[in-house]
Amino acid sequence: MPTVLIVDDDADFRESLAETLEDLGHEPIIAPSAAAGLRVLAQDAVDAVIVDFRMPDKDGIELLKAIRSRPALASLPVAMLTAHATSANTIAAMGLGAIDHLTKPVGRKDIEALLARMFPDTVTAANNAEHANDGPLIGSSPAMRAVQKLIGISAASDATVLVTGETGTGKEVVARCIHAYSPRSARRLVAINCAAVPPTLLESELFGHVRGAFTGATHDRAGCFREADGSTLFLDEIGDMDFAMQAKLLRVLEERVVTPVGSDRSVAVDVRIVVATHRQLAQRVSEGEFREDLFYRLNVMEIALPPLRERREDIVALADHFLRNIDKSKLLAADARERLMAHTWPGNVRELKNVIQRAATVVRANVIAAADLSFVATDRSESRLEDMLDGQLEAATEALEREMIRRAMAACGGNRTAAARRLGMHRQLLYVKLKRYGIE
């Protein structure tokens, strides 16, 4: 338990700060003056000091100079508090190596963030120990708990799984979890992004080819289905597959045999199929862009991943997880966590991972603060809500309705029928509202 010396002549503030430190797992020692503080430092082992600027004998700057003049205390973390912050005392304190210069009153979150900067190794070690067994799919929100349960159920069977969700929500992570917890986990999962392979080459990538089947086919190729024999095949972005290719895939799913390009001999395969898409396949079917029979063949069990903005309680846990994997010596300050929570994350979990990777690379200190995340935009929804509460009821109602419709349309990929069902309103009424608010 780290020991923190509080040097302040205000008895009420000393007691309050000491109580906060104890609540946060630290042992406080109280000194009512600079002279008393120096006596404590000479007698007791202290891990950090929080000192007031204005005191009757010596001010905080003088005490800080005295601490820095002693070789045994030169590296001791010291923070200064003052009710009268000026540029002079701030610059002087930071110039003498103060870890921070805070203005009273200070709240619990301020103290928590300060302690994280004073004891980064202790906090990081505790953080790492607490999350040592997080598992591959981070999240304790109700939405993610439901996803985790579905993964467990689907892993126990060989049923085809359709994983849906916006780009960056972690669909491949889900596919790998299903495989890892399945009876087929001893063999390697085979994955292919259908949108990344030209339609003319996708058949060969999936089903293989024989030598001489086409120009450049200098040797036989097994293809993904045969490579995944006895294992799991993950077909990412299945919604972008060419219509003609869909018919060939349907035949393989029905007959469980593949015919390599250029061959007339079929090969039986034992493959568990997991597919994923960010598109609304039901809408693609209605638009004639996706085969209805293939859609029903794939949609045996659907796992719908929620966007990150709909599971905000998982943001900090995910950020901590990514930071631990990148640099175990660093952690996020309380204000940095608040900033992450205030962002809308249009790029979902992938965007969050990139933000943490950038911050961990750029920030040299052990603690990443909100100022280090200035490139992350914040959502002003709280301010907008306060404005609405102080305004006219009709305007506030319209603003809420517009935002709910916009979010429903985004979540449903522009499918108005699905959005109307999600909102619990008649489809024709939704059409009227969309036109009224100019929502595409």
Side-chain angles (χ1 to χ4, degrees):
M1 181 182 293
T3 301
V4 181
L5 172 62
I6 303 169
V7 185
D8 198 306
D9 62 326
D10 185 335
D12 291 338
F13 181 79
R14 285 198 312 266
E15 295 298 332
S16 175
L17 180 54
E19 184 178 338
T20 300
L21 291 175
E22 286 182 337
D23 288 346
L24 295 173
H26 296 70
E27 183 180 349
I29 299 178
I30 292 174
S33 66
L38 287 172
R39 286 196 296 271
V40 171
L41 289 170
Q43 298 169 3
D44 300 321
V46 173
D47 299 305
V49 181
I50 299 176
V51 57
D52 186 28
F53 174 67
R54 288 191 175 180
M55 290 182 290
D57 51 351
K58 293 181 180 181
D59 65 28
I61 297 295
E62 291 179 278
L63 177 57
L64 184 53
K65 286 179 181 178
I67 292 173
R68 291 291 176 248
S69 67
R70 302 182 182 188
L73 304 176
S75 61
L76 193 66
V78 179
M80 186 166 292
L81 304 179
T82 179
H84 308 281
T86 65
S87 60
N89 60 43
T90 300
I91 293 170
M94 301 306 289
L96 288 168
I99 199 166
D100 208 340
H101 187 271
L102 302 177
T103 305
K104 294 180 180 179
V106 290
R108 182 187 178 91
K109 288 185 178 180
D110 299 318
I111 299 302
E112 191 173 2
L114 174 62
L115 293 171
R117 291 192 290 278
M118 286 179 158
F119 309 110
D121 295 336
T122 302
V123 177
T124 302
N127 192 44
N128 290 337
E130 181 184 353
H131 298 281
N133 298 311
D134 274 341
L137 199 65
I138 307 300
S140 57
S141 63
M144 285 309 294
R145 293 289 296 146
V147 167
Q148 292 158 7
K149 291 174 185 177
L150 286 174
I151 289 174
I153 293 170
S154 60
S157 75
D158 258 353
T160 301
V161 179
L162 170 62
V163 186
T164 60
E166 296 178 9
T167 300
T169 49
K171 295 186 288 294
E172 184 168 350
V173 175
V174 169
R176 293 190 179 279
C177 283
I178 293 172
H179 175 69
Y181 287 93
S182 75
R184 297 172 179 263
S185 61
R187 302 202 60 183
R188 178 179 67 91
L189 175 139
V190 177
I192 182 172
N193 188 325
C194 299
V197 182
T200 53
L201 298 178
L202 186 57
E203 183 177 1
S204 171
E205 288 291 325
L206 290 177
F207 310 140
H209 62 253
V210 296
R211 187 176 63 177
F214 50 83
T215 303
T218 57
H219 58 277
D220 291 353
R221 180 185 179 91
C224 291
F225 268 89
R226 281 193 285 171
E227 288 177 7
D229 190 30
S231 185
T232 303
L233 176 60
F234 174 51
L235 303 176
D236 198 7
E237 298 302 349
I238 192 76
D240 294 299
M241 182 176 285
D242 177 76
F243 200 81
M245 190 65 216
Q246 293 174 28
K248 296 177 181 180
L249 176 62
L250 177 63
R251 176 180 173 272
V252 172
L253 295 180
E254 289 178 337
E255 301 179 8
R256 296 291 165 169
V257 295
V258 296
T259 305
V261 177
S263 174
D264 56 2
R265 180 175 298 178
S266 297
V267 181
V269 289
D270 172 24
V271 179
R272 200 274 173 82
I273 304 295
V274 179
V275 302
T277 180
H278 72 282
R279 299 186 180 276
Q280 296 289 328
L281 287 190
Q283 181 180 350
R284 299 273 288 170
V285 169
S286 65
E287 294 170 348
E289 298 292 331
F290 201 86
R291 292 182 64 102
E292 186 175 20
D293 46 5
L294 178 59
F295 170 64
Y296 290 122
R297 173 66 67 174
L298 296 175
N299 194 23
V300 176
M301 176 177 285
E302 181 179 359
I303 299 179
L305 279 175
L308 191 54
R309 63 182 175 273
E310 292 183 7
R311 54 180 186 113
R312 289 186 175 274
E313 54 265 66
D314 294 334
I315 292 174
V316 171
L318 283 163
D320 285 338
H321 170 76
F322 294 140
L323 189 55
R324 283 192 301 276
N325 288 343
I326 297 167
D327 189 340
K328 286 184 171 63
S329 68
K330 294 182 180 178
L331 69 149
L332 294 164
D335 58 354
R337 294 166 182 253
E338 290 179 1
R339 189 172 190 90
L340 294 177
M341 289 286 290
H343 187 50
T344 54
W345 301 109
N348 292 297
V349 179
R350 184 178 297 145
E351 181 189 0
L352 175 60
K353 183 177 182 179
N354 291 339
V355 164
I356 298 300
Q357 188 164 21
R358 173 176 170 178
T361 302
V362 172
V363 178
R364 297 291 180 86
N366 284 341
V367 178
I368 298 172
D372 301 317
L373 301 174
S374 58
F375 59 93
V376 179
T378 55
D379 180 18
R380 304 304 301 169
S381 58
E382 270 195 5
S383 298
R384 290 199 301 269
L385 177 60
E386 291 296 327
D387 292 340
M388 285 193 293
L389 292 175
D390 291 332
Q392 296 290 317
L393 178 61
E394 183 177 355
T397 303
E398 286 189 3
L400 177 61
E401 188 176 66
R402 184 189 300 110
E403 181 65 11
M404 289 183 67
I405 291 174
R406 186 191 65 77
R407 292 193 179 200
M409 288 292 289
C412 297
N415 186 320
R416 291 176 291 185
T417 301
R421 189 181 306 115
R422 180 188 180 100
L423 291 165
M425 64 191 305
H426 195 278
R427 187 176 56 188
Q428 294 300 324
L429 178 58
L430 176 60
Y431 294 169
V432 174
K433 299 288 186 181
L434 289 171
K435 185 175 181 180
R436 176 181 177 181
Y437 295 132
I439 298 174
E440 294 293 330

